[in-house]
């Protein structure tokens, strides 16, 4: 059975810079992911470090935090049936080279770090990530 969920999506600096916001939003809307709230912002490196804390032991952590804070991002709350997994499927594999055809990362990703989008990987993390960006 499907379940109404909310998840967090981020269009990363590489895609905002290439004016891909509207094109990526269209992909979500066509798959019945409703954009409940959205905003274009730029975060500090400290905020990126907090957001990506789960990756703090990874060798790429510092670069990842620099990158996410390097330019404007577009953050969205997506809502729909099975929104967490539907969004992950639409995004494709982390490495655009390995992403399935017609996924956002296959279509637009440049490299494993400049892979155009972030999406929550579980309902629990979705709740945390939504409250990180959208204080209610
Ligand atoms: P995900 O975004 O598909 O959930 P994660 O493993 O959670 O992938 O990694 C978070 C982000 O860190 C990725 O989207 C990517 O931008 C970056 N990243 C992951 N693995 C590597 C790597 O091996 N080198 C550089 N950056 C990486
Ligand atoms: Mg992840």
């Amino acid at each position: 059975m499907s379940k109404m969920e909310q998840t967090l999506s981020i269009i990363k600096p590489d895609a905002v810079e290439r004016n891909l916001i509207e094109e990526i939003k269209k992909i979500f809307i066509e798959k019945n992911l409703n954009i409940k709230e959205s905003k274009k912002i730029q975060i500090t490196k400290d905020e990126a470090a907090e957001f990506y804390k789960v990756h703090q032991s990874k060798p790429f952590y510092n670069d990842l935090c620099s990158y996410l804070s390097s330019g404007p991002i577009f953050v969205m709350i997506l809502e729909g049936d099975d929104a967490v997994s539907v969004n992950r499927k639409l995004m494709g594999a982390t490495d655009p080279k390995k992403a399935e055809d017609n996924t956002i990362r296959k279509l637009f990703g440049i490299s494993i770090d400049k892979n155009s989008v972030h999406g929550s990987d579980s309902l629990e993390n979705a709740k945390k990530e939504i409250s990180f960006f959208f204080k209610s």
Side-chain angles (χ1 to χ4, degrees):
M1 226 177 60
S2 63
K3 174 162 97 298
M4 191 60 99
E5 293 176 347
Q6 289 190 342
T7 190
L8 185 88
S9 170
I10 305 177
I11 303 181
K12 294 183 178 182
D14 65 276
V16 172
E17 189 177 82
R18 285 175 289 147
N19 294 311
L20 293 169
I21 293 175
E22 290 309 315
E23 218 165 325
I24 293 173
K25 278 167 67 177
K26 210 172 122 208
I27 293 173
F28 294 137
I29 293 161
E30 278 171 357
K31 298 292 178 191
N32 296 314
L33 292 177
N34 185 17
I35 301 168
K36 291 287 284 182
E37 288 196 55
S38 64
K39 58 183 177 185
K40 191 178 185 180
I41 54 171
Q42 182 160 2
I43 60 172
T44 65
K45 190 172 174 185
D46 282 350
E47 288 168 330
E50 178 65 27
F51 179 75
Y52 272 135
K53 217 164 159 182
V54 294
H55 295 299
Q56 62 189 335
S57 64
K58 309 270 172 65
F60 55 82
Y61 180 62
N62 185 57
D63 288 346
L64 180 60
C65 299
S66 297
Y67 176 60
L68 197 71
S69 57
S70 67
I73 58 175
F74 190 75
V75 293
M76 289 163 280
I77 300 175
L78 303 180
E79 186 178 87
D81 284 347
D82 296 319
V84 173
S85 65
V86 169
N87 178 43
R88 291 292 303 192
K89 218 172 239 153
L90 289 175
M91 289 164 60
T94 307
D95 184 350
K97 290 201 297 284
K98 295 177 185 155
E100 303 72 9
D101 282 347
N102 290 315
T103 59
I104 295 169
R105 284 166 165 172
K106 176 74 165 198
L107 290 168
F108 306 122
I110 295 168
S111 57
I112 194 163
D113 45 328
K114 296 182 175 165
N115 59 4
S116 302
V117 280
H118 166 86
S120 310
D121 62 4
S122 67
L123 196 54
E124 191 192 342
N125 285 335
K127 288 183 178 136
K128 288 186 197 158
E129 293 181 358
I130 287 169
S131 62
F132 184 87
F133 284 106
F134 299 91
K135 314 277 177 223
S136 53

